[in-house]
Amino acid sequence: MSLEACIAHAIHNDLDILEVLPEVHELPVEELELYIERYILTVQESLYRTIQEKGESYLRAKDAAGLCATCLEAGVELPAATLLKMCRTILELSTMDARFILDTEEGASLYYVKMAVA
């Protein structure tokens, strides 16, 4: 999977918006979508840039803790536990070869997946 896809999956699976942005409870409903979208895009760009520039060795070594520490040092603003979980997901997915095949009539997406199992 591409790095962008791995990061997107990690954000989708592991990022709890209410945990990292407790201030959303006080925002007007009409501002929520834009506020959260901006935050997620910032996190995604920050993770991508950091991993591209400084994280390749951690990806190859499958070192989630090292990747997490590197991201924290680079200024990725997430709680360490959340970021570590996301880094683990990114590492797991980065070893997978997945290709989109089609969307079924029921609305499910079908992928071809090839992965190494240890």
Side-chain angles (χ1 to χ4, degrees), residues 11-58:
I11 289 171
H12 178 73
N13 292 334
D14 303 323
L15 184 63
D16 181 353
I17 290 295
L18 296 177
E19 178 184 333
V20 298
L21 295 176
E23 66 270 19
V24 298
H25 291 290
E26 298 168 14
L27 289 175
V29 174
E30 54 275 355
E31 293 178 22
L32 277 175
E33 182 178 1
L34 184 59
Y35 188 83
I36 292 170
E37 184 178 332
R38 253 190 260 138
Y39 177 79
I40 289 174
L41 287 174
T42 301
V43 167
Q44 189 170 7
E45 290 169 4
S46 179
L47 280 170
Y48 180 76
R49 185 179 54 258
T50 302
I51 294 171
Q52 278 287 104
E53 293 173 3
K54 303 174 183 177
E56 187 176 330
S57 61
Y58 300 106

